[in-house]
Amino acid sequence: MKKLNIAIVGLGNIGSYLYKYLNDNKKILTEKNNCSPFIKYVSAKNKKRKRNIKINKEKWLNNYLDATKLKEVDLIVELIGGAEGAAKKLVFNALKNKKHVVTANKALIAKYGDQLAKIAEKNKVNLEFEASVCGGVPIIRSLKEGLIANKISKIYGIFNGTSNYILSNMDKQNKNFEEVLFSAKKLGYAESNPAADLNGDDVSSKLKILSSLCFNSFLNDNFHIEGINKIDKEDIDNANKFGYKIKLLGYAELLNDKIYQRVHPTLIKKDSYVASIDGVLNAIIIDGKPVGQSIIQGEGAGPAATTSALVSDISSILRGNVKFPFSLSNKERKRLKFKNIDDRFFSAYFRFEVIDKPGILSNITNIFSKNKVSIKRLVQNPNRNKKISSIIIITHKSRDKSLSKILKEVAKKSYIEKKPKLIRIDDD
Ligand SMILES: NC(=O)c1ccc[n+]([C@@H]2O[C@H](COP(=O)([O-])OP(=O)(O)OC[C@H]3O[C@@H](n4cnc5c(N)ncnc54)[C@H](OP(=O)(O)O)[C@@H]3O)[C@@H](O)[C@H]2O)c1
């Protein structure tokens, strides 16, 4: 029986789960792949740290970079994390030394994926990163293999479980942002520093990788990014009244030969599929030809789901074929036009908290007409006790540049009590 020698570097949440999984399931994986996965070496930062797995002493490397030099190592699984430092050094050296690499490191692939793919291709080894995007949702393998026949025009959905948990529980449990964030941290659904989950950066890194796979292009940083930090309970309630849910959605779409990449809170119709995805789940929708629409959903993070993705990558390497990391040879990947969203059309939700005085509503609507944005619905909710009024406006489809201009212009007015809101609506 053929055997593949593996070095696992990083034995934290994910690495220790993978170690145990590979040992417990070696027989079935060997049968399915006709090659045996053998964990030859491991490494972590602190050899003496207490771990919940038993590892023979002889498996420990003296230095994590030895994995890249030892002749008997075929595959390195990088589970350190971070775009720089040890993880970067390990993966670059591994590929240069003709070792296959499997990684769960979204930060590293989003930043250095193009360079790494070039080295992997030159040295005819695999660089696999299914676990770097949406954990247990096999989106990368689906794009590279299952959906290979398709010309993809759009990929979108829910790519961050933490922000989806917060938005759906603000709605269901009738709680505000801070209350739900607190319980998310307590339940382990949000990290102690959840900034990247809440400000949209986590989604943009994932989408950057997927967008490049969908459109056969190099990785591109042209993104519009907004997070959920500014969404409050009133917005969720208003959305409900208008027949929408608010979700943090990521989109990469090809329109008239240009690619738009964006992440922002979005009002989406209550009866749509995406609106029904609650809690920590991820859900990805792909529009392609000839397939039509495909959807995959599942757990986006955590050791179990991430191990499922890692084992898929390891199995692919066990089966022996060398593939281009981004589906196409480096020479065939394109430099497409990535546009910012200024000239894309959206309908939008605006919320203005204003002093309750005559003349203000007409001043606001004048600013809309001056910017050629037509109003579809307008609701005014006065709060006589506080002497303020909440004005909600839903617009027809308009140029994004004009929508943002209105927001800025109204924000400067002396009658504004609270920073105005603009949330784009998905009614494509
Ligand atoms: N956690 C998730 O749900 C999840 C989901 C998808 C993807 N990922 C990705 O998976 C990767 C690992 O995440 P994790 O949650 O397992 O992280 P973690 O628990 O912090 O584990 C990191 C591991 O890296 C080791 N390490 C740190 N610096 C090192 C160095 N200089 N040399 C060798 N080893 C070093 C640490 O060693 P010690 O144990 O000795 O400190 C630890 O074992 C990251 O790229 C992450 O983004 C995680």
Side-chain angles (χ1 to χ4, degrees), residues 59-332:
K59 287 201 189 288
W60 278 91
L61 292 167
N62 287 325
N63 181 308
Y64 75 103
L65 285 175
D66 290 346
T68 68
K69 297 173 194 152
L70 292 166
K71 215 173 150 247
E72 62 269 30
V73 173
D74 303 305
L75 160 64
I76 295 173
V77 186
E78 181 275 309
L79 295 169
I80 301 170
E84 308 293 339
K88 179 184 172 193
K89 232 183 201 171
L90 179 74
V91 174
F92 269 95
N93 283 335
L95 296 173
K96 279 180 190 158
N97 291 343
K98 304 190 177 176
K99 311 289 184 198
H100 298 296
V101 170
V102 168
T103 178
N105 192 335
K106 163 192 64 206
L108 180 78
I109 297 298
K111 186 154 187 196
Y112 296 111
D114 291 341
Q115 290 177 47
L116 292 168
K118 210 168 165 182
I119 305 169
E121 182 177 343
K122 180 170 160 249
N123 287 339
K124 298 190 172 56
V125 284
N126 283 299
L127 166 65
E128 301 272 10
F129 42 86
E130 180 69 70
S132 68
V133 176
C134 300
V137 181
I139 181 63
I140 294 184
R141 186 134 290 112
S142 299
L143 291 172
K144 282 164 71 168
E145 296 184 16
L147 294 170
I148 194 167
N150 293 277
K151 181 170 169 51
I152 292 174
S153 52
K154 182 171 172 184
I155 183 163
Y156 71 104
I158 296 171
F159 298 90
N160 184 277
T162 307
S163 51
N164 199 49
Y165 175 87
I166 292 175
L167 291 174
S168 47
N169 281 295
M170 281 169 79
D171 186 18
K172 291 207 154 140
Q173 299 175 355
N174 205 20
K175 287 185 176 160
N176 67 34
F177 183 89
E178 276 73 26
E179 286 172 311
V180 182
L181 177 59
F182 181 76
S183 63
K185 281 185 184 172
K186 254 174 84 183
L187 291 165
Y189 294 149
E191 291 176 23
S192 52
N193 178 3
D197 288 319
L198 306 182
N199 66 16
D201 283 350
D202 172 79
V203 177
S204 71
S205 303
K206 291 170 179 167
L207 200 53
K208 186 173 161 189
I209 297 169
L210 295 179
S211 168
S212 139
L213 284 160
C214 287
F215 305 120
N216 304 318
S217 69
F218 288 102
L219 296 161
N220 192 294
D221 280 319
N222 194 343
F223 259 96
H224 176 87
I225 307 173
E226 283 175 48
I228 62 165
N229 322 43
K230 293 181 197 119
I231 300 294
D232 49 39
K233 189 72 186 67
E234 282 91 329
D235 298 314
I236 305 248
D237 293 342
N238 290 332
N240 270 319
K241 284 179 203 146
F242 286 111
Y244 295 105
K245 294 279 171 207
I246 300 181
K247 296 284 180 191
L248 180 68
L249 299 184
Y251 295 80
E253 55 197 346
L254 183 67
L255 292 172
N256 305 323
D257 289 332
K258 288 165 205 114
I259 296 171
Y260 296 88
Q261 301 182 125
R262 54 192 171 98
V263 180
H264 51 75
T266 310
L267 267 76
I268 185 140
K269 286 197 185 83
K270 255 184 200 172
D271 58 2
S272 65
Y273 162 74
V274 176
S276 72
I277 305 299
D278 285 333
V280 288
L281 286 178
N282 287 185
I284 306 174
I285 299 126
I286 305 133
D287 287 343
K289 254 189 185 160
V291 74
Q293 193 163 75
S294 282
I295 296 178
I296 3 184
Q297 78 173 62
E299 294 278 339
T306 307
T307 292
S308 165
L310 289 167
V311 172
S312 161
D313 282 348
I314 293 169
S315 294
S316 172
I317 295 171
L318 286 170
R319 290 195 294 273
N321 44 352
V322 175
K323 292 134 278 155
F324 301 123
F326 284 90
S327 275
L328 282 179
S329 160
N330 190 57
K331 286 174 240 119
E332 306 298 333

Side-chain angles (χ1 to χ4, degrees), residues 9-15 43-47 49 51 64 78-82 86 104-106 131-132 135 300-303 306:
V9 183
L11 291 170
N13 285 316
I14 308 295
S43 181
K45 196 169 188 178
N46 180 0
K47 218 173 179 176
R49 167 170 287 181
R51 300 179 198 274
Y64 75 103
E78 181 275 309
L79 295 169
I80 301 170
N105 192 335
K106 163 192 64 206
S132 68
T306 307

